[in-house]
Amino acid sequence: MLLETIEKANDIKKIRKEDLSVLAQEIREFLIRTISVTGGHLGSNLGAVELTMALHLALTLPEDKIIWDVGHQSYTHKILTGRKDGFESLRQFHGLSGFPKRKESDCDVFDTGHSSTSISAGLGLVKARDITGGKHTIVSVIGDGSLTGGMAYEALNNAAKQETNFIIILNDNKMSISENVGGVSKYLNNIRTASGYLDLKKGIYNALQGTKRGDSTISRIRRAKSSFKQLVIPGMLFEDMGITYLGPVDGHDISSMVSVINDAKRIEGPVMIHVLTLKGKGYEPAERHPARFHGAEPFDIGTGIPSHPRTAANYTDIFSTVMCKLGQRDGKIVAITAAMPDGTGLKRFHNMYPERFFDVGIAEEHAVTFAAGLAAGGLKPVVAVYSSFLQRAYDQILHDVCIQDLPVVFAIDRAGLVGSDGETHQGIFDYTYLSGIPNMHVCAPKNKWELSDMMKFAVSLGRPIAVRYPRGTAYVGLKDHRAPIELGKAEWIYREKEIALLAVGSMVKTAEEVRSLLKEKGYGVSLVNARFVKPLDEEAVREACEGHELIVTMEENVACGGYGEKVLDYMNRSGYRNRLVNIAIPDAYVEHGNVELLKQEIGIDAGSIVKRIWEVLDGK
């Protein structure tokens, strides 16, 4: 197999040109076979095989640099840089990351995991290269989806001033190639990047510049050239910004892409290569259902059906159902998502109420301020977003929603540990960054029924509020404990003596396990479902302090600025001197891996918590 000869970066250059298509096929077969077992981002990687091969053929790594936007399409890049054998542990604890990681390889120049960042990072590397006298090539790869993010345009605006080479590749997997436009573009690209043309153009401009009427002549030439290009060349937005546009190029034609990349390397300034690819290429189920294979669970290769189909409802399913019911009851309820209608569960709402559903693209900042405008106009907006993505809109939450005290509901999915996607996707900071904002209210449900109740409460509150829930199967325990939701009020589930467990959201389930283990040892244990991180139920904390020797707070959030610190602050202000154990995530980023394994590693699983409690009690 040709793939077996790829042991390190640049080995692909040893492959004969006529064998490159065979290597591409072997890479696709390897990806399908491997990801069917481990799970991972399949569709985007199948679509980027030839594009990645062309980059590795045209560049020399690690001297030259490739920055992958989001990075979930970098699997072929990892294979071509000698990490094929690591795919057995893809996205597993201490295994190969599903995203670029600098600590993993010197061919991974920038850690990515969120979208719309590659052009900014690439431009920074370009300026660093120029200042230090480097001559290497910098390439930023960005998808058409990521180009919906405002940060990408901020970077493009800044890149337009660049006077040395900077290559941006737009990987467009939603458009088909038009033969007419493609043919004209290819012809013009060949002319515009040919040595004779570039040298002639530079010579003419240099000769005319500064001479009598020279500047006006140059201006007329440029206007005439632009008028012609407006008729025949797509991408004029980029040209008008000062970025040379090349394309569209067939993203599955390795030879053509190598040629255009080599041409682009000669341009003194920013250049965008528009590449057209097919998401999921080479695997029919992924071509037919690209969304399903974006982040695929292990699946049967023959059918594409998940190997372990989900039977129980997850929290996203519950949210989806509740939103549809709320939308039916109240015509003022509208839903907003940032390019995640499937992931957030809003697809059903969209199908039922299309005029009240808004997908704004990968633009969380815009989504939040847009929601603020909807609220100011008398509607009841619900912004459904993943916890780690909402971080990008912090300023908009603070300034545009909370200063005006507008009734925007934030339905925060994938909160807490999410597992295999690692540091960039763990939703472990939202209690902290949200609860520090005046006028914001933050709550988290203990089970599926409480999520339903909290969403109904949230849309009726008439003020900013975040409802935070985890990834995965919805907890169905404690069904009989369903006290009405009241603002800032906790729920006492069990009242005993000695130890009080104050748990938030997903940690209530863990607290039940902890309580059972402690009860076996003869301890009296109370359990409080905190419900609200902000406002804090000070009365519940007071009752816990006055009736128990040991207080244990439990949250799936970083300790800094979290629920436990708020409880401790109240205790200190009120003069309570009970011993306190704060169970939270350490001040660190959590790598990828199985969620249960990660909980054990950072000490927030039931066994680890009981051990910490025993250590405190033994220290008595």
Side-chain angles (χ1 to χ4, degrees), residues 136-362:
H136 51 280
T137 300
I138 309 290
V139 180
S140 290
V141 182
I142 187 166
D144 57 305
S146 293
L147 208 58
T148 63
M151 185 176 175
Y153 291 94
E154 295 174 20
L156 285 171
N157 181 60
N158 196 219
K161 303 175 183 178
Q162 175 69 26
E163 295 180 352
T164 56
N165 184 255
F166 176 31
I167 300 175
I168 303 164
I169 293 184
L170 170 57
N171 179 17
D172 183 348
N173 54 30
K174 289 188 177 180
M175 296 176 63
S176 60
I177 296 173
S178 169
E179 294 297 332
N180 291 332
V181 174
V184 172
S185 295
K186 184 175 181 181
Y187 170 73
L188 292 174
N189 291 340
N190 288 338
I191 293 176
R192 293 165 63 209
T193 57
S195 300
Y197 172 74
L198 290 174
D199 294 342
L200 176 62
K201 183 179 79 170
K202 188 174 182 180
I204 290 173
Y205 283 4
N206 288 343
L208 289 172
Q209 203 159 25
T211 65
K212 188 177 181 180
R213 298 182 181 176
D215 291 343
S216 62
T217 302
I218 290 172
S219 179
R220 285 197 299 272
I221 290 172
R222 284 176 172 158
R223 282 200 302 271
K225 183 179 69 172
S226 294
S227 296
F228 176 64
K229 286 191 293 187
Q230 292 276 10
L231 294 174
V232 295
I233 302 179
M236 281 309 300
L237 166 67
F238 308 113
E239 289 275 353
D240 288 342
M241 292 178 72
I243 299 170
T244 302
Y245 173 90
L246 306 178
V249 182
D250 183 352
H252 302 295
D253 184 335
I254 297 173
S255 178
S256 293
M257 280 191 294
V258 170
S259 177
V260 76
I261 292 169
N262 283 327
D263 288 339
K265 288 161 64 175
R266 301 184 57 256
I267 295 174
E268 295 180 2
V271 53
M272 175 172 285
I273 304 174
H274 185 179
V275 176
L276 302 180
T277 61
L278 175 64
K279 199 168 188 177
K281 182 174 173 61
Y283 184 50
E284 186 179 352
E287 289 184 17
R288 286 189 285 109
H289 305 287
R292 185 193 302 171
F293 287 90
H294 172 74
E297 299 296 328
F299 60 91
D300 175 75
I301 294 176
T303 63
I305 296 173
S307 303
H308 308 289
R310 181 166 51 88
T311 53
N314 61 28
Y315 281 102
T316 306
D317 296 330
I318 304 302
F319 168 74
S320 176
T321 299
V322 174
M323 277 298 294
C324 291
K325 291 180 179 178
L326 290 170
Q328 184 179 27
R329 296 171 188 169
D330 190 341
K332 289 187 176 182
I333 290 177
V334 295
I336 304 101
T337 185
M340 300 293 289
D342 290 291
T344 60
L346 284 179
K347 188 173 183 179
R348 287 172 58 197
F349 187 94
H350 168 237
N351 292 338
M352 293 176 68
Y353 314 106
E355 73 286 353
R356 288 191 274 146
F357 169 81
F358 307 96
D359 184 347
V360 301
I362 303 177

Side-chain angles (χ1 to χ4, degrees), residues 430-612:
D430 48 56
Y431 287 161
T432 302
Y433 70 73
L434 289 174
S435 61
I437 303 176
N439 291 336
M440 175 58 77
H441 306 80
V442 184
C443 58
K446 68 178 181 291
N447 58 23
K448 60 180 287 186
W449 295 282
E450 196 159 84
L451 172 57
S452 176
D453 294 343
M454 281 187 174
M455 282 303 304
K456 295 170 186 175
F457 172 82
V459 298
S460 67
L461 181 63
R463 301 190 65 193
I465 183 170
V467 181
R468 184 229 210 214
Y469 46 95
R471 180 181 190 175
T473 302
Y475 183 47
V476 295
L478 298 173
K479 181 180 179 180
D480 295 333
H481 296 268
R482 196 173 179 178
I485 307 294
E486 297 180 56
L487 182 63
K489 291 298 180 182
E491 176 190 38
W492 283 84
I493 296 176
Y494 303 110
R495 284 182 183 265
E496 295 183 359
K497 297 290 184 180
E498 292 187 271
I499 302 169
L501 305 178
L502 278 60
V504 190
S506 60
M507 291 300 286
V508 173
K509 177 176 182 288
T510 305
E512 273 205 291
E513 299 173 36
V514 171
R515 181 175 182 272
S516 296
L517 292 170
L518 292 172
K519 293 285 287 180
E520 289 176 3
K521 298 296 182 180
Y523 294 103
V525 186
S526 295
L527 174 55
V528 178
N529 168 26
R531 283 185 168 173
F532 285 86
V533 171
K534 184 183 180 184
L536 177 71
D537 188 344
E538 296 181 349
E539 182 181 348
V541 178
R542 176 182 57 77
E543 289 183 42
C545 290
E546 293 178 353
H548 303 80
E549 178 183 349
L550 177 65
I551 309 298
V552 182
T553 63
M554 299 171 60
E555 62 190 302
E556 202 171 330
N557 188 82
V558 291
C560 184
Y563 174 72
E565 284 198 355
K566 290 173 175 55
V567 170
L568 177 60
D569 175 67
Y570 170 76
M571 290 172 63
N572 288 336
R573 286 187 286 107
S574 303
Y576 291 110
R577 295 293 177 261
N578 308 63
R579 284 179 292 175
L580 174 71
V581 176
N582 182 12
I583 303 298
I585 295 170
D587 184 21
Y589 294 104
V590 181
E591 68 169 288
H592 54 276
N594 174 272
V595 170
E596 296 308 316
L597 187 60
L598 292 177
K599 286 182 177 181
Q600 294 174 24
E601 184 72 11
I602 60 180
I604 64 169
D605 66 300
S608 299
I609 294 169
V610 169
K611 183 179 179 181
R612 281 191 60 186

Side-chain angles (χ1 to χ4, degrees), residues 109-121:
V109 66
F110 200 84
D111 289 9
T112 49
H114 282 193
S115 71
S116 313
T117 62
S118 65
I119 302 176
S120 296

Side-chain angles (χ1 to χ4, degrees), residues 383-398:
V383 180
V385 63
Y386 289 5
S387 173
S388 67
F389 298 164
L390 186 60
Q391 294 162 186
R392 313 185 102 192
Y394 182 82
D395 179 70
Q396 288 72 24
I397 298 170
L398 193 156

